[in-house]
Amino acid sequence: MQAKKRYFILLSAGSCLALLFYFGGLQFRASKSHSRREEHSGRNGLHPPSPDHFWPRFPDALRPFFSGDPSEPEDFSVHISPRQKRDANSSLYKGKKCRMESCFDFTLCKKNGFKVYVYPQQKGEKIAESYQNILAAIEGSRFYTSDPSQACLFVLSLDTLDRDQLSPQYVHNLRSKVQSLHLWNNGRNHLIFNLYSGTWPDYTEDVGFDIGQAMLAKASISTENFRPNFDVSIPLFSKDHPRTGGERGFLKFNTIPPLRKYMLVFKGKRYLTGIGSDTRNALYHVHNGEDVLLLTTCKHGKDWQKHKDSRCDRDNTEYEKYDYREMLHNATFCLVPRGRRLGSFRFLEALQAACVPVMLSNGWELPFSEVINWNQAAVIGDERLLLQIPSTIRSIHQDKILALRQQTQFLWEAYFSSVEKIVLTTLEIIQDRIFKHISRNSLIWNQHPGGLFVLPQYSSYLGDFPYYYANLGLKPPSKFTAVIHAVTPLVSQSQPVLKLLVAAAKSQYCAQIIVLWNCDKPLPAKHRWPATTVPVIVIEGESKVMSSRFLPYDNIITDAVLSLDEDTVLSTTEVDFAFTVWQSFPERIVGYPARSHFWDNSKERWGYTSKWTNDYSMVLTGAAIYHKYYHYLYSHYLPASLKNMVDQLANCEDILMNFLVSAVTKLPPIKVTQKKQYKETMMGQTSRASRWADPDHFAQRQSCMNTFASWFGYMPLIHSQMRLDPVLFKDQVSILRKKYRDIERL
């Protein structure tokens, strides 16, 4: 028996060897015959075979993306990752591999800076309200230009927001309309906004036309189709989202402990079939009816009853028991699962309500993820690990919950509360890519006041801004520059402006004095100015308008600015005390004359009052200290329309500065102790410099309040009842024990 097995094995081995030699010989002969044909071709003057001669040639081979020499041999040994293979085969965007370095013309931005051109609206083209708000935000920004030759970036006037073919907002024949634009240039340096793409049943991310080399500012974009450092992921917002301003976040107090009535909530649609149904269909496994409320309903759409399952009636009953707003405002965490698309309206709703978002949308490129660190404001979950979500969020420490909640409020108010902020954040991100040498870092984007108010063109060093002294371990500046705004001729040595100059110069903190001469008369001779121990620089205003007092003059060498009207009456002691207070609050306006605003119900408008009451919302810049960065922000952030209004009225520049600083800091100014005679002294001035004598002065300021509030989209001014006095002020102790003793004698 064993012998038979051996004979069988030997016979099998011999057969295999015979077959191997037979087929190997055929291949060898074919190879030799092919070589002889090649040699014959070479001798007859034909081209020798190329290195890739043996590779198959396909009729629709992909063209190389780079514009190099096609004759260069390819390195076939380069490893191709699975993601690169998907990218090469993707048909969603032909410019799938686009990056700023390859699909953006930087030369257009070198001459005129970052300017954005919006195509003129074509007759007969319908534009949804949301897209009108986007275009209005661009046209009202400092980036806008009406001259395409000055533009660095182009935005279509054709509505591209809703590319769902079943939507009434869908724009037909967009492909041909875009291609006919004379500046299209295959989409180069173009930005396309999109909220909805694809349609039932797969909801792909295809926008329905060839975007070429254009950038996408897109909601619900996946990480697979997102082109890093090129596209911008934006949030999904509703048609009711405010164009400007927007409501503030709902977190009014930092409650300790930061836990609310509900630990985790969600209320929304449940999809029985199709894409996006898996996650929401499984939420009932986590719902406990107590502190975890995950409510869904399948009662939506025309044919919901045809597809309803055994849980529909029970879910619908539970769904109707709870009010969504009440749940939102009383929850610690809010679940944000994907819907038909990756993005959801629940995301922005949770941010505003200070309800920490728990993301369940695998593959979603979160909004503005290029600059925002979402780990500081949200919990990023995994749809496959839904059952672990409750235990995960319960393990988060209360300190961390409070930090997450505070960050949701900052991000909401900084970047998401209005369409304007979403658009401006998109544009600022693109601008940072273009001018990388002065781009904002992660600290600026993720910490108050945020990237929209910190302009890197001012400085690339964080220590030059008033918001980061604590982060950098720096002390606020120890010196200030006094800027005196002079508008009347110098005719007497007893004029208040000269007394004010001497009082400011005597301050131990004064580095220099700048007199801004906005008077129609020629500059006084040097000997007319009093002798001081600090330099006195007289600058003649070129335009002689009110806004010129807030220009970022190079002559201002200190970070602190003491702004003074020429008829202000202050002592050296008052100047010293105000400056020491400002050193503790370098991001705010600190000063003496205070004013307030109120809402007039009878006229349905904002009012302005100068009555001395227990609260205030403005400190006038006639006697105030602030950081010089606000000069730059006033000149470069605010629109020309507001500054022109101030210049035409020769009024309200102090109100506008207060609006600006309060909008940036979200804090009120600070009033310090002043003498009781200050109001009477100011009102008693009869010179042209005293605007209080003008009967139209007060009415103009009322009008300014409402115009400014309209542009900001809300009222940024904040009331305060805090007044800072020197230690032992008015205390019944010896005057020798008081540092600022002269203030009580005034």
Side-chain angles (χ1 to χ4, degrees), residues 171-188:
V171 177
H172 296 274
N173 303 319
L174 194 57
R175 185 191 307 259
S176 59
K177 293 175 181 177
V178 169
Q179 295 296 333
S180 64
L181 298 174
H182 67 285
L183 297 172
W184 176 242
N185 191 25
N186 194 31
R188 203 169 183 84

Side-chain angles (χ1 to χ4, degrees), residues 159-325:
D159 190 347
T160 57
L161 279 190
D162 195 340
R163 301 304 298 153
D164 186 340
Q165 296 180 11
L166 301 179
S167 170
Q169 305 294 338
Y170 181 81
V171 177
H172 296 274
N173 303 319
L174 194 57
R175 185 191 307 259
S176 59
K177 293 175 181 177
V178 169
Q179 295 296 333
S180 64
L181 298 174
H182 67 285
L183 297 172
W184 176 242
N185 191 25
N186 194 31
R188 203 169 183 84
N189 287 52
H190 280 67
L191 177 65
I192 295 174
F193 287 90
N194 176 255
L195 293 181
Y196 308 98
S197 61
T199 188
W200 172 267
D202 49 5
Y203 294 93
T204 66
E205 297 180 35
D206 187 4
V207 295
F209 67 98
D210 182 11
I211 66 172
Q213 297 180 354
M215 291 180 284
L216 276 175
K218 190 178 186 331
S220 305
I221 190 169
S222 66
T223 54
E224 183 177 357
N225 292 313
F226 180 76
R227 296 170 292 182
N229 198 36
F230 195 70
D231 292 332
V232 179
S233 177
I234 62 175
L236 183 65
F237 58 88
S238 69
K239 63 180 180 180
D240 299 323
H241 205 58
R243 185 178 71 84
T244 59
E247 295 184 14
R248 296 195 65 178
F250 296 150
L251 182 63
K252 304 301 180 184
F253 307 101
N254 290 325
T255 317
I256 304 296
L259 301 178
R260 293 176 173 176
K261 179 179 180 181
Y262 305 116
M263 176 61 68
L264 179 66
V265 300
F266 171 76
K267 188 177 184 181
K269 297 178 182 178
R270 177 164 68 89
Y271 305 107
L272 300 175
T273 60
I275 189 170
S277 60
D278 294 343
T279 302
R280 296 196 180 194
N281 276 340
L283 295 183
Y284 77 98
H285 291 293
V286 183
H287 170 80
N288 63 14
E290 297 177 358
D291 64 343
V292 177
L293 300 180
L294 305 182
L295 310 174
T296 60
T297 179
C298 52
K299 192 177 180 180
H300 56 87
K302 297 180 180 179
D303 301 327
W304 71 273
Q305 290 185 337
K306 294 181 181 179
H307 304 285
K308 74 175 186 177
D309 56 20
S310 59
R311 290 202 344 263
C312 272
D313 292 335
R314 184 171 66 255
D315 287 353
N316 292 341
T317 302
E318 191 81 358
Y319 185 88
E320 299 295 335
K321 287 182 180 180
Y322 295 90
D323 178 71
Y324 176 64
R325 303 284 293 183

